[in-house]
Structure formats: structure tokens, C-alpha cells
Amino acid sequence: MPKVTFIQPDGLQNVLDAEAETSVMRVAVSNGLPGIVAECGGSAMCATCHVYIEDGYLDGLPEMSEVEDEMLDCTASERCANSRLSCQLPVVSDLAVRLPDAQV
């Protein structure tokens, strides 16, 4: 079973098991993890599940859609080259993401 490591802004790490193909956002929400708001429930319509992909995990991720790219322009925290919406990331192998300081 793949694992997703969520790194909080203060450095605290939560490692959660994830069923294959479940979105990173759903893993966080299902486990009550703070830092992922997910207001739209995974429709790529709110940008409140913004994460930063840690180095070494960018390869193998699905290509960013135009909708996701547009929504990332609306994040509460700075958009960076490694920014993604966690609702658009199916878990296919181990992954590590850093949570931003703010989602809304």
C-alpha cells in the first residue's frame, strides 16, 4: 500500500496509508488531517487543497490540466513550480507533499 507523507508548515510529518488511485486530497480528508480544506470536494474548483510536491516526487505525476493550472493562480499561499492541487493527484506510489501556510 502506498504511503503519502504530509509535511505541515511547522515541519511535523504525518505518514498515511493510501489505497491506490485515491487522490492525495481524499487521503488527507479521510484521515482528518489539518491543512487540506477541500471546499469543492475534489472538483478542481477552489484551490483549497494546494500542496507543494517534495523534491524527488515530481516525476511520474499526471500532467497538469488547464483547469488545475488556472486554479493554482488562485491559491492563498504562493504558487511555486512544484505546486499542485492534491485533488488532482491519484496516489500510485509513495509521495511526499508539503502543506502551505494557508489555504483560504
Side-chain angles (χ1 to χ4, degrees):
M1 181 173 281
K3 297 188 181 305
V4 180
T5 301
F6 294 91
I7 306 166
Q8 297 289 335
D10 66 1
L12 177 68
Q13 295 187 19
N14 301 94
V15 180
L16 301 174
D17 290 327
E19 289 193 33
E21 299 300 320
T22 302
S23 73
V24 173
M25 181 273 302
R26 182 64 50 210
V27 173
V29 170
S30 296
N31 286 280
L33 187 79
I36 300 287
V37 178
E39 285 180 348
C40 73
S43 302
M45 300 300 294
C46 71
T48 60
C49 67
H50 175 216
V51 295
Y52 302 109
I53 307 299
E54 287 290 281
D55 289 340
Y57 294 94
L58 287 167
D59 292 338
L61 294 178
E63 192 171 317
M64 185 182 304
S65 70
E66 286 183 40
V67 171
E68 180 181 2
D69 189 35
E70 286 179 29
M71 289 311 305
L72 284 167
D73 288 336
C74 304
T75 59
S77 293
E78 178 183 6
R79 178 184 180 163
C80 297
N82 62 336
S83 288
R84 293 295 301 264
L85 296 181
S86 62
C87 69
Q88 300 301 297
L89 298 174
V91 178
V92 294
S93 62
D94 290 352
L95 182 64
V97 299
R98 184 169 299 276
L99 302 173
D101 290 327
Q103 292 285 10
V104 290

